[in-house]
Amino acid sequence: ITIIRDSHAHSCISTWLNAASVCCLENMPSAEAKLKKNRCANCFDCPCCMHTLSTRATNIPAPLPDDPSKTAMKKAYYLACGFCRWTSRDVGMADKSVASGGWQEPDNPHTQRINKLIEYYQQLAQREKLERDRKKLARRRPYMPLAFSEKYGLGTRLQRQRPGAPITSLAGLSLKEGEDQKEINIEPAQALDEVEPLPEDYYTRPINLPEVTSLRQRLLQPDFQPAGASQLHPKHKHLLIKRSLRCRKCEHNLSKPEFNPTSINISSECQVLLTLTNPVESITHVTLVGCEEGDPEDINSTAKVMVPTKELVLAGKDAAADYDELAEPQDFQDDPDVVAFRKSNKIGFFIKVVPQREEDGDVTVSFKIRHDFRNLAAPIRPSEEDDAPTEAIWLTHHVELSLGPLVA
Amino acid sequence: FACPSAPGGANIAAGAVVCVESEIRGDVTIGPRTVVHPKARIIAEAGPIIIGEGNLIEEQALIINSYPENIMPDTEGVEPKTMTIGINNVFEVGCVSQALKIGDNNVIESKADLGKNVILTSGCIVGACCQVNTCEVIPENTVIYGSNCMRRVQTERPQPQTLQLDFLMKILPNYHHMKKTVKGTSTPVRN
């Protein structure tokens, strides 16, 4: 679901990524999402069928904290899947007394070892990168003897250093290396000679099929990969990415997706850029007028349009314009709010569109375009007056534009 | 319930709430505290149907004891088989059940389809739109779900719909007429 507010002529668009949760519609910047491992804190997935789990409440009698002999009904919450009827009680998770926030994912016993390994390899990778970079820069030296660089001035980085001192870029690297003095040592994994033997009835014991997890269920939990269904714990739900677009020039939000359909506010006004090309060689003056109420030609419009009130002037088509460098650009004193650009016989101008209905169909606007026209074709019968300049006649056309569907 | 001729051949025990708009054909026995919604259909074609207590049969549900496909209705020498349905079962909207034996506390979700040769034990849940027409006894507490009829076993059986039944037994007579029960009196319509 996307909102498009403005139709922009600016071609530079910056994008930024946010993470959002589909179920609880929680928004967070991508840095925060990375910390949480791209998972929602509140919502869980059913480990059995991967649907979203819902929290259900039951009343259980519990002793009052003040008076242990009396019991009162307390609310106990458990997670349940509406699709496959899995409940958190199936894997032995106790009911919690709070509706959300009480559920923890089980700890991975190997977390520490894995983190240490990751650190070690990160350091190793950094070191390798240093070596590579140093080798690259060291190789460049012989190709640029000092005499050469002197001739062309202080252009090179090498030149700027004092001879003999380490080059700054490498100096920066060596500083980093100096910081990382503490080495991370890891113990290599130990290969064991003795492995636990299989249980005796491994081949003869009948399979309890409902207890065996499917490959998909197992692999969705890569840290545990439980073989038994009674060890399938729910995992936090994955977040989805929202890619928002923004124009760099004017900081307007172009596209900001939302997961919740009811939170959409349709921006009421849109600016649309239209291009008009003048096909004749003489200057043409164009005026745009909105359609009147009850105009018989205005049948399909689904949006109101506000056309520029000033007259637009289009230069004539000049085939030689591209090659004529010395021609002075004609100064038309364009209003920047109205005219977006002007290029020889073309003009780009803005109209404002206000969609009238939230329709599925296309947004259509209509207006009248009025312009002058001079017929430069030679008359069949030469006129009796000598060379009267051809008169301009004013023509009015009805224009209907389909701007495409309302993206909302 | 061996009962003298009740209207339409249906023996409806006292305490059962069966709406007039439901279609009950053939020799059907309905136990007390069972609610049959309007537009539900219970058809005993090839034999009697016995329905226990506390069942909930929702709209457009079809419980049919039909002849096997290869036997014509007029064939002689065919033994009528009785369809038995236990207690506290729920037949959700639009489901079809031809299973000859259904135990207790089962839930047959909307648009599920049970074939003739299936036998449901207790605590089973047949998911929405699942077609089960194998020839087997479904073990207790089985959940059948998904478009591929995946199965799993749940640790608790589904709870009986006591609250819902009580509510319906109070409200339905306000809006519908009821079929007459065995004792000869229909459930009084409240003003």
Side-chain angles (χ1 to χ4, degrees), chain A residues 319-386:
Chain A
D322 289 341
Y323 305 101
D324 197 358
E325 288 169 349
L326 300 173
E328 286 197 0
Q330 298 161 295
D331 185 16
F332 289 98
Q333 296 192 329
D334 295 322
D335 181 357
D337 283 339
V338 171
V339 176
F341 66 88
R342 178 184 287 278
K343 192 174 176 193
S344 63
N345 62 331
K346 254 195 256 191
I347 185 175
F349 61 95
F350 292 112
I351 61 171
K352 286 199 171 42
V353 175
V354 181
Q356 294 297 103
R357 322 191 260 272
E358 296 171 30
E359 275 188 2
D360 286 335
D362 290 349
V363 174
T364 315
V365 295
S366 340
F367 51 89
K368 304 263 190 277
I369 182 169
R370 188 168 174 265
H371 66 99
D372 57 345
F373 173 67
R374 288 182 177 79
N375 187 355
L376 295 174
I380 300 174
R381 229 181 284 134
S383 61
E384 285 155 8
E385 299 151 17
D386 32 324

Side-chain angles (χ1 to χ4, degrees), chain A residues 48 56 78-92 208-211 229-230, chain B residues 104-109 121-127 138-145 150-160:
Chain A
C48 185
R56 294 219 192 124
Y78 64 97
L79 294 171
C81 173
F83 191 59
C84 68
R85 311 266 179 153
W86 180 93
T87 65
S88 55
R89 294 166 173 172
D90 287 352
V91 290
N208 179 11
L209 212 48
E211 175 67 10
S230 46
Chain B
D104 311 328
N105 291 314
N106 299 299
V107 176
I108 301 170
E109 287 187 7
T121 48
S122 300
C124 299
I125 300 186
V126 182
I138 310 273
E140 288 200 8
N141 292 339
T142 308
V143 180
I144 302 178
Y145 66 96
M150 310 267 312
R151 297 192 186 186
R152 55 173 291 274
V153 176
Q154 51 176 1
T155 48
E156 335 175 306
R157 48 172 49 185
Q159 295 177 344

Side-chain angles (χ1 to χ4, degrees), chain A residues 191-210:
Chain A
L192 293 172
D193 262 342
E194 294 205 359
V195 187
E196 251 184 56
L198 289 173
E200 290 207 348
D201 61 350
Y202 194 74
Y203 294 109
T204 51
R205 178 181 49 189
I207 296 181
N208 179 11
L209 212 48

Side-chain angles (χ1 to χ4, degrees), chain A residues 125-263:
Chain A
Q126 243 184 12
R127 231 184 264 156
E128 284 184 358
K129 191 166 181 264
L130 269 177
E131 301 250 342
R132 248 185 294 136
D133 288 340
R134 184 184 294 138
K135 271 195 209 148
K136 258 196 226 164
L137 285 166
R139 249 187 271 128
R140 278 208 210 119
R141 266 205 200 149
Y143 297 113
M144 279 276 246
L146 271 163
F148 230 72
S149 23
E150 256 176 0
K151 189 175 178 184
Y152 288 109
L154 297 167
T156 65
R157 276 189 297 161
L158 296 172
Q159 185 63 6
R160 287 201 199 108
Q161 323 309 326
R162 280 179 289 113
I167 303 173
T168 7
S169 50
L170 275 188
L173 289 176
S174 63
L175 244 184
K176 250 199 209 161
E177 204 189 324
E179 277 174 9
D180 241 353
Q181 278 301 334
K182 74 167 168 102
E183 286 251 338
I184 299 178
N185 285 321
I186 50 164
E187 298 154 9
Q190 303 268 349
L192 293 172
D193 262 342
E194 294 205 359
V195 187
E196 251 184 56
L198 289 173
E200 290 207 348
D201 61 350
Y202 194 74
Y203 294 109
T204 51
R205 178 181 49 189
I207 296 181
N208 179 11
L209 212 48
E211 175 67 10
V212 177
T213 49
S214 72
L215 263 185
R216 188 160 184 247
Q217 291 167 347
R218 214 179 286 194
L219 295 177
L220 275 176
Q221 314 215 355
D223 31 3
F224 296 104
Q225 297 185 31
S230 46
Q231 276 107 44
L232 277 178
H233 285 265
K235 284 217 117 178
H236 284 283
K237 208 167 172 57
H238 252 301
L239 298 171
L240 295 181
I241 300 261
K242 264 196 330 185
R243 183 189 299 193
S244 311
L245 302 172
R246 187 197 281 160
C247 174
R248 263 187 227 141
K249 263 200 197 164
C250 57
E251 296 291 318
H252 263 132
N253 281 337
L254 282 179
S255 158
K256 204 169 176 198
E258 286 286 341
F259 284 116
N260 183 7
T262 56
S263 74

Side-chain angles (χ1 to χ4, degrees), chain A residues 394-407:
Chain A
W394 285 87
L395 300 171
T396 306
H397 311 283
H398 177 82
V399 176
E400 199 173 274
L401 282 178
S402 177
L403 297 171
L406 187 67
V407 186

